């Protein structure tokens, strides 16, 4: 305690090689009055490898390199936190994560109505097996109602034989655009007998003695448990210089349920329609349930290929072949995976 305010003041200044980190804050008697600020300046992350290795931070140490500058403010106590901050990294490598350049800003609060704003802007970003040449993403609004925007370019693309269907040129890779309106509904609180941890404080009233009662059960939130639902207003994936998308969808409703640790429990999409390589595809059912409690993961998909005129489609694929005729085909795909995998695929003449 510093004598100026109740509670405990914390001021920690860490230095390792050329990197510095300073943590300042106050652990107050009331959880809402806690406040913390962290500032990190690490111009040479590789120099921290010996320290992190001693702390057994194996996955992070692997290939650690680059520079990182970050600043973060936190008010309140877990799980009722309010936070804002910024981060910038250059030539970053840390285990499966990497970026030639990465900048992020965020603001978030503990409830559905609190302001939520997140922006990410990166170049040559690697997230495990996924890689992006450029990545720009933003979330704006609140947990109760927010907009999501993603613009990315990636080396991933359909096979080269599809280029004539989409008008793709010589430029490799794809551009992806996503726009969605989402909302988050937290899981109901559960009863817990343990009260929220409190900080040491200045002396107060005497204990009530042996007759004092144990704390009554209070609602304890599950910080990450809940359901996210979104209406995808636009999803467009096309070659970098393509005139037509190889995949597009609009007005599709998706949902995902998470448990208290943030792990995916189940996900699905309401009945919808999309375009794939110029063919229209609809689905009645699309859902997935993660493996839990000894039960295997489950998946179900029931989709249809709408009637497709074959000659015009083949003419786009091979313009000089002279395809003609009025043949129309349709199809259906039913896939299930519970204890075993099953698929029923039908392609038949429609006219």
């Amino acid at each position: 305690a510093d004598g100026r305010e109740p509670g405990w003041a914390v001021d920690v200044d860490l230095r390792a090689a050329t990197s510095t980190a300073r943590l300042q804050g106050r652990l107050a008697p009331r959880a809402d009055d806690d406040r913390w600020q962290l500032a990190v300046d690490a111009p040479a992350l590789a120099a921290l490898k010996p320290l992190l290795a001693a702390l057994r931070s194996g996955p992070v140490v692997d290939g650690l390199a680059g520079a990182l500058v970050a600043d973060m403010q936190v008010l309140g106590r877990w799980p009722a936190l309010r936070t804002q901050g910024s981060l910038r990294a250059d030539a970053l490598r840390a285990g499966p994560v990497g970026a030639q350049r990465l900048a992020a800003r965020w603001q978030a609060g503990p409830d559905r109505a609190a302001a939520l704003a997140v922006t990410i802007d990166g170049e040559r970003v690697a997230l495990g097996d996924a890689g992006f040449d450029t990545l720009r993403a933003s979330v704006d609004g609140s947990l109760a109602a927010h907009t999501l925007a993603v613009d990315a370019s990636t080396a991933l693309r359909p096979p080269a034989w599809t280029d004539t269907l989409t008008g793709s040129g010589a430029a490799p890779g794809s551009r992806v655009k996503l726009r969605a309106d989402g909302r988050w509904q937290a899981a109901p609180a559960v009863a817990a007998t343990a009260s929220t941890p409190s900080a040491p404080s200045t002396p107060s009233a005497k204990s009530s003695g042996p007759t004092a009662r144990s704390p009554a059960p209070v609602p304890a939130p599950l910080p990450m448990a809940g359901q996210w639902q979104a209406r995808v207003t636009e999803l467009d994936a096309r070659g970098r210089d393509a005139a037509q998308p190889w995949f597009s969808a609009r007005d599709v409703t998706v949902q995902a349920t998470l448990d208290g640790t943030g792990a995916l429990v189940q996900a699905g999409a309401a009945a919808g329609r999309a375009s794939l390589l110029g063919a229209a595809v609809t689905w009645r059912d699309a859902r997935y349930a993660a493996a839990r409690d000894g039960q295997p993961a489950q998946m179900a998909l029931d989709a249809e290929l709408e009637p497709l005129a074959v000659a015009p489609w083949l003419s786009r694929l091979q313009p000089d072949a002279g395809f003609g005729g009025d043949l129309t085909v349709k199809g259906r795909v039913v896939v299930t995976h519970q204890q075993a995998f099953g698929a029923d695929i039908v392609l038949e003449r429609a006219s």
Side-chain angles (χ1 to χ4, degrees):
D2 59 9
R4 291 177 295 181
E5 296 182 61
W8 294 89
V10 177
D11 193 341
V12 179
D13 196 352
L14 301 176
R15 297 178 182 271
T18 58
S19 300
T20 63
R22 186 170 187 182
L23 175 66
Q24 295 176 296
R26 179 168 296 277
L27 192 60
R30 293 180 65 252
D32 289 347
D33 294 332
D34 284 5
R35 60 181 185 271
W36 303 93
Q37 180 163 343
L38 174 65
V40 176
D41 185 1
L45 289 170
L48 299 179
K49 285 184 179 181
L51 174 62
L52 294 176
L55 298 174
R56 298 185 178 181
S57 302
V60 177
V61 172
D62 294 340
L64 184 65
L68 174 70
V69 177
D71 183 80
M72 180 174 65
Q73 299 84 42
V74 178
L75 301 177
R77 194 174 304 166
W78 180 261
L81 299 177
R82 299 178 298 283
T83 179
Q84 64 180 22
S86 64
L87 174 151
R88 180 179 175 86
D90 294 289
L92 174 68
R93 284 190 291 119
V97 178
Q100 184 62 34
R101 182 187 64 82
L102 183 66
R105 291 183 176 275
W106 67 89
Q107 176 185 355
D111 54 69
R112 297 179 71 241
L116 174 66
V118 180
T119 60
I120 299 173
D121 188 352
E123 296 177 358
R124 298 186 179 276
V125 178
L127 303 172
D129 294 333
F132 303 93
D133 294 330
T134 61
L135 174 63
R136 292 177 177 83
S138 65
V139 180
D140 190 49
S142 66
L143 283 175
H146 51 268
T147 59
L148 171 66
V150 178
D151 293 281
S153 61
T154 173
L156 297 177
R157 53 165 291 168
W161 61 263
T162 66
D163 288 350
T164 56
L165 293 173
T166 61
S168 293
S174 298
R175 293 180 288 131
V176 179
K177 178 180 180 180
L178 170 66
R179 300 291 185 270
D181 299 319
R183 63 179 186 270
W184 170 263
Q185 180 61 58
V190 297
T193 55
S195 57
T196 304
S198 59
S201 61
T202 53
S204 58
K206 295 182 179 180
S207 169
S208 56
T211 59
R213 298 180 179 178
S214 299
V218 295
L222 298 173
M224 299 295 293
Q227 184 180 84
W228 182 69
Q229 187 176 78
R231 183 175 69 90
V232 178
T233 56
E234 181 180 7
L235 175 57
D236 184 293
R238 65 180 67 203
R240 298 192 192 208
D241 57 356
Q244 301 293 327
W246 52 264
F247 180 85
S248 65
R250 293 178 180 270
D251 297 323
V252 174
T253 299
V254 297
Q255 63 84 20
T257 302
L258 308 182
D259 65 15
T261 67
L264 180 67
V265 176
Q266 61 183 20
R273 185 175 187 268
S275 174
L276 176 63
L277 297 176
V281 179
T282 60
W283 61 88
R284 300 185 183 90
D285 186 22
R287 50 192 167 86
Y288 168 82
R292 292 177 66 85
D293 302 325
Q295 297 298 315
Q298 300 182 20
M299 180 183 71
L301 174 65
D302 187 347
E304 289 187 356
L305 171 66
E306 293 184 358
L308 173 69
V310 175
W313 193 83
L314 290 177
S315 294
R316 292 170 57 195
L317 188 63
Q318 295 183 329
D320 300 326
F323 291 106
D326 59 359
L327 175 64
T328 301
V329 297
K330 63 180 181 179
R332 186 177 182 188
V333 177
V334 178
V335 177
T336 59
H337 178 61
Q338 295 180 346
Q339 298 295 334
F341 177 84
D344 186 8
I345 303 174
V346 176
L347 184 65
E348 59 186 357
R349 182 172 185 149
S351 65

mmCIF file of all heavy atoms in Angstrom, residues 78-79 184 187 221-226 257-266 290-292:
data_model
loop_
_atom_site.group_PDB
_atom_site.id
_atom_site.type_symbol
_atom_site.label_atom_id
_atom_site.label_comp_id
_atom_site.label_asym_id
_atom_site.label_seq_id
_atom_site.Cartn_x
_atom_site.Cartn_y
_atom_site.Cartn_z
ATOM 1 N N TRP A 78 -11.106 -9.939 -13.318
ATOM 2 C CA TRP A 78 -11.653 -11.070 -14.075
ATOM 3 C C TRP A 78 -12.852 -11.688 -13.355
ATOM 4 O O TRP A 78 -12.808 -11.879 -12.161
ATOM 5 C CB TRP A 78 -10.562 -12.121 -14.272
ATOM 6 C CG TRP A 78 -11.036 -13.328 -15.038
ATOM 7 C CD1 TRP A 78 -11.431 -14.513 -14.522
ATOM 8 C CD2 TRP A 78 -11.162 -13.425 -16.449
ATOM 9 N NE1 TRP A 78 -11.804 -15.370 -15.509
ATOM 10 C CE2 TRP A 78 -11.653 -14.726 -16.718
ATOM 11 C CE3 TRP A 78 -10.939 -12.554 -17.516
ATOM 12 C CZ2 TRP A 78 -11.909 -15.171 -18.017
ATOM 13 C CZ3 TRP A 78 -11.185 -13.005 -18.805
ATOM 14 C CH2 TRP A 78 -11.658 -14.295 -19.036
ATOM 15 N N PRO A 79 -13.944 -11.968 -14.126
ATOM 16 C CA PRO A 79 -14.054 -11.810 -15.584
ATOM 17 C C PRO A 79 -14.654 -10.475 -16.036
ATOM 18 O O PRO A 79 -14.876 -10.289 -17.221
ATOM 19 C CB PRO A 79 -14.988 -12.960 -15.953
ATOM 20 C CG PRO A 79 -15.923 -13.042 -14.779
ATOM 21 C CD PRO A 79 -15.093 -12.718 -13.560
ATOM 22 N N TRP A 184 -23.781 -11.706 -29.829
ATOM 23 C CA TRP A 184 -23.313 -12.703 -28.866
ATOM 24 C C TRP A 184 -24.292 -12.782 -27.716
ATOM 25 O O TRP A 184 -24.718 -11.771 -27.165
ATOM 26 C CB TRP A 184 -21.929 -12.328 -28.360
ATOM 27 C CG TRP A 184 -21.445 -13.152 -27.196
ATOM 28 C CD1 TRP A 184 -21.503 -12.826 -25.877
ATOM 29 C CD2 TRP A 184 -20.849 -14.450 -27.258
ATOM 30 N NE1 TRP A 184 -20.967 -13.818 -25.108
ATOM 31 C CE2 TRP A 184 -20.563 -14.837 -25.930
ATOM 32 C CE3 TRP A 184 -20.528 -15.317 -28.303
ATOM 33 C CZ2 TRP A 184 -19.963 -16.054 -25.638
ATOM 34 C CZ3 TRP A 184 -19.931 -16.528 -27.994
ATOM 35 C CH2 TRP A 184 -19.653 -16.896 -26.685
ATOM 36 N N ALA A 187 -23.874 -17.517 -22.052
ATOM 37 C CA ALA A 187 -24.592 -18.590 -21.377
ATOM 38 C C ALA A 187 -25.098 -18.091 -20.030
ATOM 39 O O ALA A 187 -24.489 -17.209 -19.411
ATOM 40 C CB ALA A 187 -23.677 -19.794 -21.192
ATOM 41 N N PRO A 221 -20.367 -16.130 -13.654
ATOM 42 C CA PRO A 221 -20.420 -16.261 -15.103
ATOM 43 C C PRO A 221 -19.377 -17.233 -15.629
ATOM 44 O O PRO A 221 -18.333 -17.413 -15.031
ATOM 45 C CB PRO A 221 -20.132 -14.838 -15.592
ATOM 46 C CG PRO A 221 -19.345 -14.221 -14.478
ATOM 47 C CD PRO A 221 -19.845 -14.840 -13.220
ATOM 48 N N LEU A 222 -19.707 -17.874 -16.730
ATOM 49 C CA LEU A 222 -18.732 -18.661 -17.456
ATOM 50 C C LEU A 222 -18.173 -17.739 -18.529
ATOM 51 O O LEU A 222 -18.850 -17.438 -19.506
ATOM 52 C CB LEU A 222 -19.403 -19.882 -18.098
ATOM 53 C CG LEU A 222 -20.026 -20.874 -17.115
ATOM 54 C CD1 LEU A 222 -20.803 -21.937 -17.865
ATOM 55 C CD2 LEU A 222 -18.953 -21.516 -16.255
ATOM 56 N N PRO A 223 -16.949 -17.233 -18.367
ATOM 57 C CA PRO A 223 -16.468 -16.109 -19.171
ATOM 58 C C PRO A 223 -16.617 -16.290 -20.673
ATOM 59 O O PRO A 223 -16.936 -15.355 -21.372
ATOM 60 C CB PRO A 223 -14.993 -16.013 -18.762
ATOM 61 C CG PRO A 223 -14.941 -16.597 -17.395
ATOM 62 C CD PRO A 223 -15.966 -17.673 -17.372
ATOM 63 N N MET A 224 -16.371 -17.490 -21.201
ATOM 64 C CA MET A 224 -16.372 -17.671 -22.648
ATOM 65 C C MET A 224 -17.576 -18.440 -23.162
ATOM 66 O O MET A 224 -17.702 -18.664 -24.361
ATOM 67 C CB MET A 224 -15.090 -18.415 -23.065
ATOM 68 C CG MET A 224 -13.811 -17.683 -22.714
ATOM 69 S SD MET A 224 -13.641 -16.130 -23.609
ATOM 70 C CE MET A 224 -13.434 -16.738 -25.281
ATOM 71 N N ALA A 225 -18.450 -18.875 -22.271
ATOM 72 C CA ALA A 225 -19.568 -19.718 -22.693
ATOM 73 C C ALA A 225 -20.678 -18.871 -23.297
ATOM 74 O O ALA A 225 -21.059 -17.842 -22.749
ATOM 75 C CB ALA A 225 -20.099 -20.518 -21.506
ATOM 76 N N GLY A 226 -21.224 -19.332 -24.418
ATOM 77 C CA GLY A 226 -22.327 -18.621 -25.043
ATOM 78 C C GLY A 226 -22.463 -19.001 -26.499
ATOM 79 O O GLY A 226 -21.833 -19.958 -26.983
ATOM 80 N N THR A 257 -21.489 -22.245 -30.948
ATOM 81 C CA THR A 257 -21.637 -22.318 -29.502
ATOM 82 C C THR A 257 -20.300 -22.679 -28.873
ATOM 83 O O THR A 257 -19.630 -23.625 -29.316
ATOM 84 C CB THR A 257 -22.696 -23.364 -29.108
ATOM 85 O OG1 THR A 257 -23.949 -23.027 -29.731
ATOM 86 C CG2 THR A 257 -22.881 -23.403 -27.602
ATOM 87 N N LEU A 258 -19.894 -21.910 -27.858
ATOM 88 C CA LEU A 258 -18.628 -22.138 -27.165
ATOM 89 C C LEU A 258 -18.876 -22.546 -25.720
ATOM 90 O O LEU A 258 -19.893 -22.151 -25.125
ATOM 91 C CB LEU A 258 -17.772 -20.866 -27.176
ATOM 92 C CG LEU A 258 -17.525 -20.194 -28.524
ATOM 93 C CD1 LEU A 258 -16.620 -18.983 -28.338
ATOM 94 C CD2 LEU A 258 -16.926 -21.163 -29.528
ATOM 95 N N ASP A 259 -17.947 -23.316 -25.150
ATOM 96 C CA ASP A 259 -18.051 -23.650 -23.735
ATOM 97 C C ASP A 259 -17.287 -22.625 -22.904
ATOM 98 O O ASP A 259 -16.790 -21.619 -23.422
ATOM 99 C CB ASP A 259 -17.578 -25.077 -23.470
ATOM 100 C CG ASP A 259 -16.081 -25.275 -23.746
ATOM 101 O OD1 ASP A 259 -15.355 -24.269 -23.867
ATOM 102 O OD2 ASP A 259 -15.647 -26.442 -23.825
ATOM 103 N N GLY A 260 -17.184 -22.869 -21.599
ATOM 104 C CA GLY A 260 -16.582 -21.896 -20.705
ATOM 105 C C GLY A 260 -15.114 -21.641 -20.949
ATOM 106 O O GLY A 260 -14.578 -20.615 -20.526
ATOM 107 N N THR A 261 -14.417 -22.538 -21.659
ATOM 108 C CA THR A 261 -13.004 -22.337 -21.981
ATOM 109 C C THR A 261 -12.806 -21.686 -23.335
ATOM 110 O O THR A 261 -11.676 -21.440 -23.752
ATOM 111 C CB THR A 261 -12.256 -23.676 -21.971
ATOM 112 O OG1 THR A 261 -12.735 -24.499 -23.051
ATOM 113 C CG2 THR A 261 -12.478 -24.411 -20.656
ATOM 114 N N GLY A 262 -13.903 -21.421 -24.051
ATOM 115 C CA GLY A 262 -13.800 -20.853 -25.384
ATOM 116 C C GLY A 262 -13.705 -21.898 -26.478
ATOM 117 O O GLY A 262 -13.571 -21.556 -27.653
ATOM 118 N N ALA A 263 -13.784 -23.196 -26.128
ATOM 119 C CA ALA A 263 -13.713 -24.258 -27.133
ATOM 120 C C ALA A 263 -15.048 -24.380 -27.866
ATOM 121 O O ALA A 263 -16.123 -24.199 -27.278
ATOM 122 C CB ALA A 263 -13.346 -25.585 -26.478
ATOM 123 N N LEU A 264 -14.973 -24.710 -29.147
ATOM 124 C CA LEU A 264 -16.178 -24.865 -29.955
ATOM 125 C C LEU A 264 -16.946 -26.107 -29.541
ATOM 126 O O LEU A 264 -16.390 -27.204 -29.459
ATOM 127 C CB LEU A 264 -15.797 -24.955 -31.437
ATOM 128 C CG LEU A 264 -16.955 -25.129 -32.427
ATOM 129 C CD1 LEU A 264 -17.828 -23.875 -32.449
ATOM 130 C CD2 LEU A 264 -16.418 -25.438 -33.828
ATOM 131 N N VAL A 265 -18.237 -25.937 -29.275
ATOM 132 C CA VAL A 265 -19.116 -27.060 -28.950
ATOM 133 C C VAL A 265 -19.858 -27.519 -30.192
ATOM 134 O O VAL A 265 -19.896 -28.696 -30.520
ATOM 135 C CB VAL A 265 -20.115 -26.673 -27.844
ATOM 136 C CG1 VAL A 265 -21.096 -27.819 -27.562
ATOM 137 C CG2 VAL A 265 -19.384 -26.286 -26.571
ATOM 138 N N GLN A 266 -20.479 -26.583 -30.892
ATOM 139 C CA GLN A 266 -21.176 -26.920 -32.124
ATOM 140 C C GLN A 266 -21.266 -25.683 -33.011
ATOM 141 O O GLN A 266 -21.139 -24.551 -32.544
ATOM 142 C CB GLN A 266 -22.574 -27.459 -31.831
ATOM 143 C CG GLN A 266 -23.482 -26.486 -31.102
ATOM 144 C CD GLN A 266 -24.832 -27.086 -30.773
ATOM 145 O OE1 GLN A 266 -24.980 -28.310 -30.747
ATOM 146 N NE2 GLN A 266 -25.823 -26.253 -30.541
ATOM 147 N N ALA A 290 -18.606 -30.845 -31.964
ATOM 148 C CA ALA A 290 -17.264 -31.289 -31.604
ATOM 149 C C ALA A 290 -17.321 -32.526 -30.716
ATOM 150 O O ALA A 290 -18.325 -32.782 -30.030
ATOM 151 C CB ALA A 290 -16.524 -30.161 -30.883
ATOM 152 N N ALA A 291 -16.248 -33.286 -30.709
ATOM 153 C CA ALA A 291 -16.143 -34.447 -29.837
ATOM 154 C C ALA A 291 -16.149 -33.999 -28.377
ATOM 155 O O ALA A 291 -15.419 -33.078 -28.001
ATOM 156 C CB ALA A 291 -14.861 -35.220 -30.150
ATOM 157 N N ARG A 292 -16.988 -34.634 -27.564
ATOM 158 C CA ARG A 292 -17.103 -34.256 -26.150
ATOM 159 C C ARG A 292 -17.501 -35.471 -25.330
ATOM 160 O O ARG A 292 -18.277 -36.318 -25.782
ATOM 161 C CB ARG A 292 -18.157 -33.157 -25.951
ATOM 162 C CG ARG A 292 -17.781 -31.823 -26.545
ATOM 163 C CD ARG A 292 -18.891 -30.807 -26.383
ATOM 164 N NE ARG A 292 -19.119 -30.468 -24.978
ATOM 165 C CZ ARG A 292 -18.426 -29.543 -24.326
ATOM 166 N NH1 ARG A 292 -17.459 -28.886 -24.941
ATOM 167 N NH2 ARG A 292 -18.693 -29.272 -23.068
#
